[in-house]
Amino acid sequence: MRPIQRNLLPVLLALLPAVAPAEDILRSHAVAMHGKPKYAADFTHYEYANPAAPTGGHVRREAIGSFDSLNPFIMKGIPATGLELVYDTLMVASADEPFSMYGLLAAEIEMPADRSWVIFRLRPEARFSDGRAVTAQDVVFTFKTLFQQGRPFFKAYYGNVKSVTAIDALTVKFEFQPGDNRELALIVGQLQVLPQHYWKDRDFQNVSLDPPVGSGPYVVEKVEAGRSITYRRNPEYWGRDLPVRRGSNNFERITFDYYRDTTVSLEAFKAGEYDFRVENNSKLWATAYTGPAVEKKLIRTEAIPHENPTGMQGFVFNTRRAKFDDRRVRRALGEVFDFEWTNRNLFYGQYTRTQSYFSNSELASSGLPSPAELAILSRYRDRVPPEVFTSAYTAPTTDGSGNIRTNLRTAIRLLREAGWVVRDGRLVHGKTGDPMEIEILMYDGAFQRVVHPYIQNLEKLGIRAQVRMVDVNQYVNRLREFDFDMIIGSFPQSSSPGNEQREFWGSAFADRPDSRNLIGVRDPVVDELIELVISAPDRQSLVSRTRALDRVLLWNHYVVPQWHIRAYRVAFWDKFRRPAVAPKHEFGFQYWWIDRELEKRVEGQRASLFRK
């Protein structure tokens, strides 16, 4: 044997254990989190898409506040709404499965049974909007740039990726850290791929209004800084005939006009200034959709049911503040939020009280822990609230009359146990004498009618609370720095929770600016439960582990739970049509289209209604 061959032999032998047998390698057009994908390799379109949908027309939508950036990937600046239209991902999720991904930029996915790595083979026809080919090197550049310079989300979401390598011009390989994380193969497929050649001579961290280059179905056509942004359907879009795109992105132009607040934007909608609106205010939904356009049936309102987990919305405590570091205090403040009165008098009975961080799904805990949940939780028995094992979590209730004496007595008892006492009508800490004062940071005035009754109940405990109204930009910046006592916040969830839970509740993100751990959770038990969720080997274990995490979060009283609704409330000028089958897990407006005959009728009558 020649010397060079002797030197190569140990290297070759070392590589052999890393190569899985051919029969253990999956090569497919799609991959499911658990089980098999719904759609076979020869599928032509999603069931909830109409491949014959006509294209064209201009849709005007609304956004609140302002914007100063077209880079949604960095901490600096306020990005414009709709920028996801500009970028394609390696794979794309279907909206009628819990979590399955299908090839978009990637024609094929390859991975071993243990999912310790994944290879994506890019489509040779994939192009950026400037005509340049999408390459494996663009994928490598994107991942490294976002991980090193992007928002904290990317470090949390992709934290277990060990390396990313361009094998050739159209093949890229992701290798993962040791451990059971079945989700990684799917979530790296969600990577929005950026063009390396475009960013080569640009500072990625700079806030800019320069139209970006992407590979998605739309390009930025027009920008009026802080006022509006218009996207135009790319006539050269490379992927329009792919099964995952057929029947979608049917509008020729989409404009987002910015308004100061929701009150102004609603009046603009009814005056015909824009076409489509998602309504999140129950009072407006019940009372505000009136006027000539509604009477003439030019404006339609509809509640479209969905099967999405509704997540958690609530009054969010910033536990970095010393006054909120005791869960008894947090629980006490939750006792005096009168949901029943609020729902009856302010919401017209439209809402359901949220009792889980994963509400409206099988992932939500309820009753006492099951044997499978107990097997998980028992190892933490001395490190979690005892109620996790002994009581079914239920948010505090009232009779809806506005008389909350029982709740007040419970709250006062809890506050005394935590060392707080009432002196001269003020709640103060028994040792330091510091008064309990709470500032609720807000940017949307519509929520004040909900907050003020809560403040009045807090005052009955001797707590001085007030609303601090700021503009959207200041609100975002203060949240980035965790500069608040309490906010009204939400934690959306998917049907398949995973790596994103680290950023929601993980200790590593409690003090990282711009992370979504707004609460400031620092709990080793929660950290361990998150990793169990991420490493769940099958759907059944994912459900049990998520429910266990849910129980620990709930009994720590990190938020005062508010409410949810199981439908999208939408209003629109009657020029749209949509597929007969609605997607289960998303709204799916990208599958709607404009009916030209309806548009002529609407535009003609709209002009006559508002002619001066």
Side-chain angles (χ1 to χ4, degrees):
M1 183 176 291
R2 290 178 292 189
I4 190 170
Q5 293 173 314
R6 287 198 304 271
N7 291 337
L8 282 174
L9 184 57
V11 176
L12 293 173
L13 290 174
L15 289 174
L16 287 177
V19 179
E23 62 270 17
D24 291 337
I25 299 296
L26 169 72
R27 294 181 180 86
S28 178
H29 68 296
V31 61
M33 180 65 181
H34 300 112
K36 295 182 179 180
K38 173 180 178 178
Y39 295 96
D42 60 351
F43 87 106
T44 58
H45 61 87
Y46 295 132
E47 290 179 0
Y48 49 84
N50 175 12
T55 60
H58 186 180
V59 175
R60 295 167 301 173
R61 299 189 62 178
E62 50 95 26
I64 302 299
S66 182
F67 70 94
D68 59 9
S69 173
L70 298 190
N71 186 345
F73 306 107
I74 59 175
M75 286 178 57
K76 297 178 182 177
I78 308 297
T81 300
L83 287 165
E84 68 278 359
L85 298 168
V86 175
Y87 300 99
D88 269 342
T89 50
L90 292 168
M91 306 188 83
V92 64
S94 66
D96 54 357
E97 300 172 80
F99 193 14
S100 292
M101 299 287 289
Y102 295 79
L104 181 52
L105 287 169
E108 183 181 65
I109 183 173
E110 178 180 334
M111 64 182 182
D114 65 1
R115 300 193 180 188
S116 57
W117 52 264
V118 63
I119 287 175
F120 296 101
R121 291 188 172 84
L122 304 181
R123 300 181 192 272
E125 68 271 27
R127 291 289 184 276
F128 290 108
S129 56
D130 61 1
R132 298 278 290 270
V134 180
T135 70
Q137 195 57 51
D138 291 311
V139 179
V140 174
F141 164 79
T142 300
F143 181 84
K144 292 182 176 180
T145 300
L146 296 182
F147 197 84
Q148 295 167 5
Q149 302 183 54
R151 294 171 46 240
F153 163 78
F154 297 108
K155 284 187 180 294
Y157 208 47
Y158 300 128
N160 288 114
V161 176
K162 182 170 65 174
S163 66
V164 54
T165 307
I167 296 175
D168 58 38
L170 295 177
T171 308
V172 61
K173 181 177 184 179
F174 290 82
E175 294 186 86
F176 306 136
Q177 300 284 357
D180 297 322
N181 191 334
R182 292 177 56 82
E183 186 183 43
L184 272 176
L186 286 80
I187 66 173
V188 293
Q190 297 172 338
L191 191 70
Q192 293 175 304
V193 178
L194 308 176
Q196 183 177 20
H197 65 272
Y198 174 82
W199 289 102
K200 182 180 179 181
D201 298 319
R202 289 175 167 85
D203 184 348
F204 191 74
Q205 290 289 336
N206 273 356
V207 172
S208 171
L209 291 174
D210 293 339
V213 171
S215 60
Y218 288 86
V219 295
V220 175
E221 180 178 62
K222 183 181 179 181
V223 177
E224 294 184 49
R227 298 180 58 187
S228 74
I229 182 168
T230 297
Y231 302 90
R232 176 178 57 84
R233 195 168 183 261
N234 185 357
E236 304 300 324
Y237 176 50
W238 68 275
R240 61 179 176 270
D241 294 324
L242 294 177
V244 295
R245 287 301 198 207
R246 200 165 288 141
S248 68
N249 303 306
N250 300 312
F251 307 122
E252 182 64 24
R253 283 178 173 81
I254 302 173
T255 294
F256 291 92
D257 288 322
Y258 278 75
Y259 296 89
R260 183 178 68 251
D261 56 43
T262 54
T263 302
V264 175
S265 72
L266 174 59
E267 294 307 312
F269 171 74
K270 293 196 292 184
E273 295 298 321
Y274 62 94
D275 305 304
F276 178 89
R277 174 181 174 87
V278 177
E279 184 54 72
N280 294 316
N281 185 298
S282 60
K283 180 180 180 181
L284 296 180
W285 183 250
T287 65
Y289 287 89
T290 59
V294 177
E295 293 167 4
K296 291 181 178 293
K297 301 187 185 303
L298 298 178
I299 288 178
R300 290 179 55 190
T301 58
E302 190 170 353
I304 302 175
H306 64 71
E307 299 180 22
N308 291 333
T310 52
M312 173 63 78
Q313 176 180 298
F315 292 102
V316 177
F317 297 106
N318 183 357
T319 63
R320 302 168 188 84
R321 302 285 204 251
K323 57 193 167 190
F324 297 139
D325 63 5
D326 191 314
R327 76 180 185 97
R328 292 170 295 186
V329 171
R330 302 192 295 266
R331 179 180 174 185
L333 301 189
E335 285 286 338
V336 298
F337 172 58
D338 192 345
F339 168 77
E340 286 73 20
W341 182 92
T342 302
N343 197 34
R344 178 185 299 174
N345 292 278
L346 302 182
F347 297 156
Y348 301 83
Q350 295 179 40
Y351 289 123
T352 300
R353 187 72 187 271
T354 299
Q355 308 280 359
S356 166
Y357 284 84
F358 304 88
S359 57
N360 198 39
S361 78
E362 64 174 341
L363 302 163
S365 61
S366 62
L368 294 174
S370 67
E373 294 170 58
L374 283 173
I376 299 164
L377 292 165
S378 293
R379 72 191 75 173
Y380 308 117
R381 186 171 291 273
D382 297 328
R383 301 163 61 194
V384 299
E387 297 94 333
V388 167
F389 300 95
T390 61
S391 305
Y393 177 85
T394 304
T397 60
T398 70
D399 61 9
S401 68
N403 183 339
I404 62 166
R405 289 181 181 176
T406 300
N407 300 65
L408 287 168
R409 285 195 292 268
T410 301
I412 290 170
R413 174 179 58 80
L414 289 166
L415 290 168
R416 284 174 178 167
E417 291 175 4
W420 294 82
V421 296
V422 176
R423 293 175 184 165
D424 299 325
R426 298 288 306 279
L427 185 70
V428 299
H429 195 277
K431 292 183 178 179
T432 66
D434 294 335
M436 174 69 80
E437 297 178 344
I438 301 174
E439 180 183 270
I440 303 175
L441 185 68
M442 295 170 51
Y443 71 91
D444 187 349
F447 263 99
Q448 291 200 56
R449 68 194 186 103
V450 176
V451 174
H452 283 303
Y454 182 45
I455 287 176
Q456 291 172 1
N457 287 339
L458 291 172
E459 289 174 348
K460 295 174 184 177
L461 296 174
I463 297 171
R464 181 173 295 171
Q466 63 178 347
V467 170
R468 176 66 182 275
M469 292 294 299
V470 297
D471 62 40
V472 173
N473 289 14
Q474 186 178 351
Y475 182 84
V476 170
N477 287 329
R478 287 188 62 172
L479 258 60
R480 284 173 171 170
E481 299 299 327
F482 310 122
D483 181 18
F484 63 90
D485 288 341
M486 183 185 286
I487 60 168
I488 296 174
S490 62
F491 302 92
Q493 296 290 352
S494 73
S495 298
S496 184
N499 284 22
E500 75 286 345
Q501 304 302 309
R502 289 174 177 156
E503 197 190 10
F504 280 155
W505 336 109
S507 299
F509 292 87
D511 295 315
R512 188 170 297 179
D514 200 35
S515 87
R516 292 186 291 181
N517 189 346
L518 297 170
I519 297 166
V521 180
R522 298 182 190 84
D523 186 338
V525 172
V526 171
D527 294 337
E528 291 182 33
L529 289 171
I530 290 170
E531 296 309 311
L532 285 175
V533 169
I534 291 171
S535 63
D538 51 50
R539 184 70 186 177
Q540 183 177 356
S541 61
L542 176 67
V543 171
S544 297
R545 294 175 183 191
T546 303
R547 289 176 179 175
L549 172 63
D550 190 31
R551 292 182 188 279
V552 173
L553 293 173
L554 288 168
W555 282 111
N556 272 293
H557 303 287
Y558 290 125
V559 305
V560 178
Q562 292 182 344
W563 53 80
H564 63 269
I565 191 169
R566 298 180 178 92
Y568 302 109
R569 295 173 298 197
V570 297
F572 52 92
W573 286 80
D574 191 20
K575 64 179 185 178
F576 298 102
R577 288 292 177 261
R578 66 179 190 265
V581 178
K584 294 180 180 180
H585 300 301
E586 67 177 49
F587 179 66
F589 188 60
Q590 67 269 33
Y591 297 99
W592 291 32
W593 63 90
I594 290 176
D595 184 307
R596 293 304 178 89
E597 292 303 315
L598 289 176
E599 184 180 40
K600 289 179 183 178
R601 167 184 170 268
V602 165
E603 295 300 334
Q605 294 193 42
R606 180 156 60 181
S608 64
L609 276 178
F610 304 111
R611 184 177 295 120
K612 295 183 179 180

